[in-house]
Amino acid sequence: QVQLVESGGGLVQPGGSLRLSCAASGIGSWFVTISMGWYRQAPGKQRELVATITSTGNTNYPDSVKGRFTISRDNAKNTMYLQMNSLKPEDTAVYYCNLVGSKIATPLIRDYWGQGTQVTVSS
């Protein structure tokens, strides 16, 4: 069973930095990871894309975080990171790790989600 566990959230002042990690377990030679990403959800708002990275290393960011956030992967450790710099109060949200993949034996592509980690940007 694929499981994702986020860590690294917390309280930071505006202009500060945080690094989130997402550790994936239950992945082996029987599984194909298509892409991984970070999403966030603020109170009263819909979940939104923060960053994605494909199996070939291509990245994508919305304009709201471009130039401030950097997504990366360590395939050997099955871990994904999100380096967040120049944080703003509007970045406050629960951040979720996402993995899109499928078992080699079946053509079904699935989304997997972590439990989320809180990021609060406030003075």
Side-chain angles (χ1 to χ4, degrees):
Q1 184 77 341
V2 177
Q3 291 188 324
L4 304 174
V5 178
E6 302 100 332
S7 61
L11 173 64
V12 63
Q13 292 187 341
S17 299
L18 277 177
R19 188 194 194 204
L20 305 183
S21 298
C22 172
S25 62
I27 294 176
S29 58
W30 55 273
F31 190 87
V32 175
T33 299
I34 298 171
S35 68
M36 295 186 73
W38 291 95
Y39 290 74
R40 67 187 181 187
Q41 188 167 18
K45 295 188 177 181
Q46 290 188 333
R47 190 172 296 189
E48 63 176 4
L49 170 71
V50 176
T52 60
I53 184 167
T54 68
S55 58
T56 56
N58 293 322
T59 59
N60 180 53
Y61 307 90
D63 288 343
S64 58
V65 307
K66 195 172 295 184
R68 300 188 297 123
F69 291 9
T70 303
I71 189 172
S72 62
R73 288 174 62 176
D74 185 334
N75 292 329
K77 296 181 179 180
N78 284 330
T79 302
M80 176 179 63
Y81 305 97
L82 183 68
Q83 178 66 42
M84 304 186 292
N85 299 327
S86 302
L87 282 161
K88 305 175 181 179
E90 52 263 44
D91 294 319
T92 296
V94 177
Y95 284 69
Y96 296 92
C97 172
N98 171 261
L99 184 151
V100 179
S102 69
K103 298 177 182 179
I104 293 176
T106 67
L108 181 63
I109 297 175
R110 283 192 56 185
D111 271 286
Y112 299 86
W113 294 92
Q115 82 288 350
T117 185
Q118 176 70 46
V119 172
T120 302
V121 185
S122 174
S123 55

